């Protein structure tokens, strides 16, 4: 009887060549339950021993929106004419944006945060990155409910194409996961990574048309930012019923998905060298 | 052919970096070189790197128990992490047949805020159990961990005993075919340890293969089929428990006060005051390292004293390699009065019909002044083994005896 053998050699995943893809997908599928468990673990751990619990998911966007609405109304910042009530516009924008910003921050911290576990139990490390994304997706669904409530409150009627909203954010998730694959490993070596990321994400919020609209024919430089297309496309679906810079969106979506797969593959190779550096 | 093997390591090596800044640099370099697909040859040492595990090879058959002993920092835990797959080797290859389970730290992976119940499911999943599997073993896990009323309490409020019991219970129920244990059983109280060993015994009967790291030589000797003595990352000896333990003690004592060979060779004779050597002889003159149970052992303790010491007291203790203190006495307890010593001399003691069971022993010798202030103490003045001779069986010691019938 042939028994299954596991072999550990240096740079194993690199020497596997294309077979590594099979192993990567296989590992992802067979570990789906573990990803779910980690997701529940994170969630329960985060909201326990807290009075407001899950309400924290909506507090932060609400405070941000309140601030920007105030800035807009008082004339400190003028965002120009928007076809929708500004709070609704901002709420959709920040909800999508946080998929990226929270996803990247959580993904970057995911491995180091569970460092003691990584060093003591054998399990596929990529599970940590995937489950941190799962957590952010969960928070996103809560925010979708908040968006729907805001429609009622402001008496706004969205386009029927809103049903594609959850699908339209998928490229952004791939982009975020791809970046997290790199940054989470980098954070094992250099703790500065997490700080640089959180600083960078804060500035990116101002450089990306999230809280303010992307002006038609406006700055071309802004359109080179992949986040511009990836964040605005889902919102366009709700407001306009179509995606305004559709070509941009398609290009950056394809790039994001390819980027994710390359990042995942590199993660699988480099990951073998990282636990010892945590 | 190699079908009954559970594990095979070939020239396995793992390197660490001593310098944190360099370690960070090498890590960043590894990420970059890994990204470009040109991972450098990891079998070369870069500056400030050293081999923490260096060229370890062994084979382990199914159902065998391997003990790993060695000093702190000898590379035991690193080796275990390599075998577990937490670290990847930088050199060599490890082959594993069967599902592996590791107890490197009990309760690692517990989330302090989650309840015991929630942690059972999370930890079970980490150890590769499906929800269904955990469901079916849940009662048995809770029963073993004995945490009944605290099932819905966050584990941060658990006592450390409850914490490790739960950790062990989950790991033991994940049904590994190869189990790696790193000293974890040293925690917990006596009844917990007994319970663990009972469980491990049951698992062993089912043909599970173990690797056990321990500083408790009793555990090693009782549990292991073969023992690896690891010294500075290399396999210094691999073979029977007795021999490995003896090698270990000899090496360890090399860092201590005096080496056995030093005493024997008399190089410690340049001491001004103290014990300079111990010579053991049995019934058959010649082999002074091995005796039979029931044989009379003579010990000659040589000493030197620069100044006159009035009413000195000499003592000996026979220590087993299992850590048990078997026998000890001194001249004062025995009522053997020594008026004074000065210069060189020899004290002798006859251990009539020694009652020691077969095994390895270490002789501790000490010398005191009349107020029992220690003048000298040699922890490992001599090593000797006891084999054969009068029947002891599984008993603790042999008692010289004579039957009668009236």
């Amino acid at each position: 009887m042939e028994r299954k053998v596991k072999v550990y050699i240096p740079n194993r995943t690199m020497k596997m060549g294309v077979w590594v893809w099979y192993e990567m997908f296989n590992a992802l599928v067979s570990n789906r339950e573990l990803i779910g468990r980690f997701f529940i673990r994170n969630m329960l751990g985060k909201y326990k021993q807290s009075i407001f619990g899950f309400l924290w998911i909506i507090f932060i966007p609400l405070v941000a929106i309140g601030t920007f609405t105030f800035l807009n109304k008082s004339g400190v910042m003028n965002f120009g004419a928007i076809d929708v009530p500004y709070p609704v516009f901002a709420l959709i924008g920040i909800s999508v944006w946080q998929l990226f910003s929270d996803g990247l921050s959580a993904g970057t911290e995911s491995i180091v945060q569970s460092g003691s576990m990584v060093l003591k139990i054998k399990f596929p490390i990529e599970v940590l990155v995937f489950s941190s994304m799962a957590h952010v997706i969960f928070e996103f669904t809560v925010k979708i409910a908040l968006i729907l409530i805001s429609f009622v409150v402001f008496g706004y009627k969205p386009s029927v194409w809103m049903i594609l909203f959850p699908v339209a954010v998928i490229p952004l998730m791939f982009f975020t996961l791809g970046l997290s694959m790199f940054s989470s490993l980098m954070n094992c070596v250099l703790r500065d990574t997490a700080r640089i990321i959180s600083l960078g994400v804060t500035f990116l919020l101002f450089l990306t048309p999230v809280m303010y609209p992307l002006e038609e024919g406006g700055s071309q430089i802004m359109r080179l930012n992949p986040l511009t297309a990836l964040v605005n496309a889902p919102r366009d679906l709700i407001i306009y019923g179509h995606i305004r810079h559709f070509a941009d969106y398609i290009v950056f979506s394809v790039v994001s998905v390819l980027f994710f797969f390359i990042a995942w593959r590199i993660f699988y190779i480099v990951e073998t060298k990282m636990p010892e550096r945590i | 052919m190699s079908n009954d093997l559970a594990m095979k390591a070939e020239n396995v090596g793992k390197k660490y970096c001593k310098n944190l800044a360099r370690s960070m640099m090498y890590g960043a370099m590894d990420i970059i070189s890994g990204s470009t697909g040109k991972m450098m040859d990891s079998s070369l040492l870069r500056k400030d790197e050293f081999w923490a595990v260096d060229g370890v090879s062994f084979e382990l058959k199914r159902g065998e128990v391997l003990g790993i002993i060695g000093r702190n920092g000898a590379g035991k835990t690193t080796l275990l992490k390599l075998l577990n797959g937490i670290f990847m080797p930088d050199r060599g290859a490890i082959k594993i047949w069967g599902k592996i389970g590791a107890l490197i730290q009990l309760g690692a992976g517990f989330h302090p805020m989650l309840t015991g119940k929630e942690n059972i499911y999370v930890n079970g999943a980490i150890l590769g159990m499906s929800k269904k599997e955990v469901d079916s073993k849940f009662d048995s896990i809770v029963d073993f961990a004995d945490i009944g009323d605290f099932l819905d309490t966050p584990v941060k409020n658990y006592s450390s005993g409850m914490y490790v019991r739960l950790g062990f219970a989950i790991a033991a129920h994940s049904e590994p075919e190869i189990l790696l244990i790193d000293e974890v059983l040293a925690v917990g109280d006596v009844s917990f340890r007994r319970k663990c060993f009972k469980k491990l015994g049951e698992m062993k009967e089912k043909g599970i293969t173990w690797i056990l790291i321990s500083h408790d030589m009793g555990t090693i000797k009782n549990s292991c089929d073969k023992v690896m003595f690891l010294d500075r990352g290399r396999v210094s000896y691999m073979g029977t428990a007795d021999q490995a333990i003896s090698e270990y003690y000899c090496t360890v004592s090399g860092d201590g006060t005096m080496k056995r060979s030093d005493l024997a060779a008399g190089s410690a004779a340049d001491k001004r005051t103290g014990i300079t050597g111990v010579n053991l002889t049995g019934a058959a003159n010649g082999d002074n390292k091995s005796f039979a149970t029931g044989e009379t052992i003579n010990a000659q303790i040589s000493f030197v004293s620069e100044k006159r010491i009035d009413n000195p007291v000499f003592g000996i203790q026979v220590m087993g390699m299992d850590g048990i203190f078997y026998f000890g006495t001194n001249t004062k307890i025995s009522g053997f009065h020594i008026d004074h010593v000065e210069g060189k001399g020899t004290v002798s003691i006859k251990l009539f019909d020694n009652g020691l069971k077969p095994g390895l022993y270490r002789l501790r010798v000490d010398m005191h002044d009349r107020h029992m202030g220690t003048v000298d103490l040699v922890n490992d003045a001599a090593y000797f083994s006891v084999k054969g001779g009068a029947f002891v069986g599984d008993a603790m010691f042999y008692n010289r005896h004579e039957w009668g019938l009236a």
Side-chain angles (χ1 to χ4, degrees), chain A residues 167-172 229-230 233-234 243 245-254:
Chain A
V167 182
V169 296
I170 290 174
L172 181 65
L230 297 179
I243 293 167
H245 299 284
F246 192 64
D248 289 12
Y249 178 66
I250 291 298
V251 169
F252 283 123
S253 295
V254 172

Side-chain angles (χ1 to χ4, degrees), chain A residues 3 6 8 33 49 276, chain B residues 3 5 94 96 131 156:
Chain A
R3 287 193 300 145
K6 238 181 309 188
Y8 297 138
E33 197 169 333
Q49 203 165 5
E276 64 209 72
Chain B
N3 226 14
L5 281 183
I94 298 166
I96 294 153
K131 181 172 182 298
K156 65 173 179 171

Side-chain angles (χ1 to χ4, degrees), chain B residues 37-73:
Chain B
K38 290 195 183 70
M39 204 61 116
M40 76 174 271
D41 184 2
S42 55
S43 65
L44 303 169
L45 284 186
R46 294 174 281 194
K47 197 176 174 216
D48 275 340
E49 284 186 328
F50 67 98
W51 291 105
V53 169
D54 192 0
V56 171
S57 303
F58 68 89
E59 281 185 356
L60 201 58
K61 290 200 178 84
R62 266 196 286 183
E64 272 187 328
V65 179
L66 171 71
I68 303 179
I69 56 175
R71 276 177 287 197
N72 293 329

Side-chain angles (χ1 to χ4, degrees), chain A:
Chain A
M1 188 189 74
E2 194 63 29
R3 287 193 300 145
K4 257 177 99 176
V5 60
K6 238 181 309 188
V7 182
Y8 297 138
I9 51 171
N11 298 333
R12 182 184 67 90
T13 44
M14 201 171 68
K15 290 172 187 159
M16 282 175 77
V18 286
W19 279 103
V20 78
W21 289 103
Y22 172 75
E23 193 181 278
M24 282 157 63
F25 278 103
N26 212 9
L28 186 61
V29 172
S30 58
N31 284 305
R32 60 191 189 282
E33 197 169 333
L34 183 56
I35 294 174
R37 281 285 156 207
F38 270 121
F39 162 66
I40 296 172
R41 174 184 192 266
N42 282 350
M43 196 171 65
L44 292 176
K46 200 166 174 183
Y47 299 116
K48 269 196 181 179
Q49 203 165 5
S50 141
I51 295 173
F52 296 114
F54 288 114
L55 287 176
W56 282 111
I57 298 174
I58 56 173
F59 279 169
I60 293 160
L62 286 182
V63 169
I65 290 155
T67 313
F68 276 90
T69 306
F70 171 76
L71 291 176
N72 191 19
K73 286 227 162 121
S74 63
V76 177
M77 281 169 133
N78 193 1
F79 302 136
I82 309 170
D83 310 336
V84 271
Y86 179 74
V88 173
F89 173 84
L91 179 60
I92 303 170
I94 199 118
S95 302
V96 178
W97 175 257
Q98 282 189 324
L99 259 184
F100 167 73
S101 64
D102 289 0
L104 184 55
S105 306
T108 306
E109 299 262 19
S110 59
I111 298 179
V112 170
Q113 221 164 44
S114 303
S116 67
M117 188 166 43
V118 171
L119 286 174
K120 272 145 201 157
I121 308 177
K122 166 73 177 171
F123 66 95
I125 305 175
E126 67 267 25
V127 162
L128 292 169
V129 184
F130 283 118
S131 71
S132 72
M133 195 66 208
H135 184 79
V136 176
I137 292 171
F138 164 75
E139 295 192 341
F140 180 65
T141 58
V142 175
K143 287 169 198 160
I144 290 182
L146 191 65
I147 292 171
L148 293 175
I149 292 170
S150 79
F151 291 163
V152 177
V153 172
F154 289 92
Y156 178 74
K157 198 170 164 291
S159 155
V160 286
W161 291 105
M162 176 165 184
I163 46 165
L164 287 182
F165 179 68
V167 182
V169 296
I170 290 174
L172 181 65
M173 292 178 194
F174 274 107
F175 182 69
T176 309
L177 260 179
L179 279 180
S180 302
M181 292 277 167
F182 276 114
S183 60
S184 59
L185 289 182
M186 203 62 211
N187 201 39
C188 294
V189 179
L190 269 173
R191 295 292 193 275
D192 308 58
T193 314
R195 289 170 188 274
I196 291 170
I197 294 272
S198 75
L199 194 70
V201 162
T202 311
F203 277 104
L204 271 175
L205 175 62
F206 293 104
L207 297 177
T208 312
V210 177
M211 304 305 277
Y212 54 87
L214 173 64
E215 279 160 43
E216 208 62 52
S219 167
Q220 291 295 313
I221 297 172
M222 213 159 247
R223 283 177 58 192
L224 290 175
N225 173 359
L227 289 166
T228 301
L230 297 179
V231 172
N232 273 288
R235 183 162 55 187
D236 284 358
L237 279 175
I238 295 179
I239 300 175
Y240 305 106
H242 68 271
I243 293 167
R244 284 178 302 166
H245 299 284
F246 192 64
D248 289 12
Y249 178 66
I250 291 298
V251 169
F252 283 123
S253 295
V254 172
V255 169
S256 297
V257 173
L258 284 178
F259 171 68
F260 163 74
F261 281 106
I262 293 167
W264 188 18
R265 159 84 208 244
I266 289 172
F267 183 94
Y268 219 73
I269 290 172
V270 177
E271 167 216 63
T272 57
K273 300 235 172 205
M274 286 305 121
E276 64 209 72
R277 309 270 181 212
I278 291 176

Side-chain angles (χ1 to χ4, degrees), chain B residues 227-275:
Chain B
V227 176
M228 175 194 293
F229 167 37
L230 213 55
D231 193 26
R232 294 187 191 94
R234 291 165 185 273
V235 178
S236 178
Y237 176 83
M238 174 122 174
T240 63
D242 281 345
Q243 192 58 34
I245 292 169
S246 145
E247 293 284 334
Y248 170 59
Y249 274 114
C250 292
T251 311
V252 171
S253 65
D255 292 347
T257 48
M258 223 184 280
K259 225 178 177 173
R260 173 179 57 170
S261 52
D262 285 351
L263 263 180
S267 71
D270 53 344
K271 265 190 183 178
R272 297 257 180 94
T273 301
I275 290 150

Side-chain angles (χ1 to χ4, degrees), chain B residues 5 8 26 70 88 107 124 137 152 158 173 187 199 201 227 296 302 305 324 374 399:
Chain B
L5 281 183
K8 185 177 182 176
Y26 293 150
M88 287 295 141
K137 289 171 188 159
D152 293 315
Y158 278 24
H173 282 81
V187 293
K199 180 80 189 169
V227 176
T296 296
S302 318
S305 178
I324 293 174
T374 306
N399 203 139

